[in-house]
């Protein structure tokens, strides 16, 4: 149910696993083993030990859910490294020599872009495209602090 949020978190660079297994216990066990925060819409899922960290998501839209996570101190601006992960795989992308991307991306992209990145798992090639500049704007909006007002003269 939180697939869109998972993708947005990866876009922001967060190590995010979308749990496809069954049962609350196996979810909690995985989170304990890998030191993860559980994001859920369920009201049934409750912490069993003090180390269990479960955050219930109330909002419906992914952008509001991200704000929810900022308010709950689950994500912070200073730890976020946008565009560092493969969206389907959650793997960290590696920068590749520019030549390596030739033939693997559309020609106009190759001539337009200076830097290319590859997912070590699915081998998909990424670049800073228009989609990403859109995301960048979105991120700036999300994390922007309210402007100071009423400055004393
Ligand atoms: Zn991948």
């Amino acid at each position: 149910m939180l697939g869109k949020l998972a993708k947005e978190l990866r876009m922001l660079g967060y190590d995010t696993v979308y749990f496809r297994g069954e049962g609350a216990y196996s979810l909690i066990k995985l989170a304990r083993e890998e030191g993860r925060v559980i994001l859920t819409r369920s009201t049934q899922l409750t912490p069993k030990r003090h180390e269990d960290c479960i955050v219930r998501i109330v909002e419906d839209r992914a952008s509001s859910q991200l704000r929810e996570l900022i308010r709950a101190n689950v994500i912070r601006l200073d730890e976020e490294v946008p565009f560092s992960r493969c969206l389907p795989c959650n793997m960290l992308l590696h920068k590749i020599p520019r030549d390596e991307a030739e033939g693997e991306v559309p020609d106009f992209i190759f001539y337009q872009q200076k830097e290319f990145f590859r997912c070590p798992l699915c081998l998909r090639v990424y670049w800073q495209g228009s989609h990403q500049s859109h995301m960048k704007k979105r991120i700036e909006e999300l994390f922007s602090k309210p402007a100071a007002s009423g400055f004393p003269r």
Side-chain angles (χ1 to χ4, degrees):
M1 275 189 291
L2 294 172
K4 184 120 195 290
L5 177 62
K7 220 169 174 180
E8 300 241 4
L9 284 170
R10 280 178 193 157
M11 220 176 289
L12 286 167
Y14 290 102
D15 178 4
T16 311
V17 171
Y18 191 81
F19 183 71
R20 289 176 198 284
E22 274 177 38
Y25 180 69
S26 52
L27 172 61
I28 288 176
K29 194 164 165 269
L30 176 89
R32 279 178 193 160
E33 280 166 7
E34 302 187 358
R36 295 181 181 279
V37 176
I38 297 175
L39 307 179
T40 180
R41 295 197 73 104
S42 165
T43 50
Q44 315 287 315
L45 209 59
T46 49
K48 304 280 184 288
R49 294 189 201 165
H50 78 278
E51 74 257 35
D52 295 342
C53 187
I54 299 173
V55 177
R56 193 174 154 239
I57 303 292
V58 181
E59 300 283 353
D60 288 323
R61 293 175 54 227
S63 56
S64 313
Q65 291 170 343
L66 284 175
R67 282 185 188 278
E68 233 184 319
L69 294 180
I70 294 168
R71 279 198 304 270
N73 280 321
V74 177
I75 57 175
R76 284 198 307 266
L77 180 58
D78 56 3
E79 61 183 24
E80 147 258 356
V81 190
F83 322 125
S84 54
R85 285 181 192 276
C86 178
L87 301 187
C89 305
N90 190 40
M91 295 292 286
L92 281 171
L93 302 177
H94 298 298
K95 196 174 169 185
I96 55 171
R98 191 170 177 274
D99 293 351
E100 233 181 81
E102 194 169 14
E104 290 201 49
V105 299
D107 280 353
F108 76 96
I109 294 289
F110 182 75
Y111 291 113
Q112 219 173 48
Q113 300 294 323
K114 289 189 183 72
E115 293 188 323
F116 294 93
F117 305 85
R118 191 192 292 283
C119 168
L121 192 66
C122 71
L123 305 180
R124 192 172 154 181
V125 175
Y126 285 82
W127 62 90
Q128 299 267 348
S130 57
H131 178 59
Q132 288 187 341
S133 42
H134 169 78
M135 268 311 292
K136 215 174 225 171
K137 221 178 122 194
R138 176 98 171 255
I139 290 163
E140 279 162 15
E141 285 166 12
L142 270 175
F143 288 105
S144 63
K145 295 184 178 74
S149 59
F151 196 76
R153 291 176 193 202

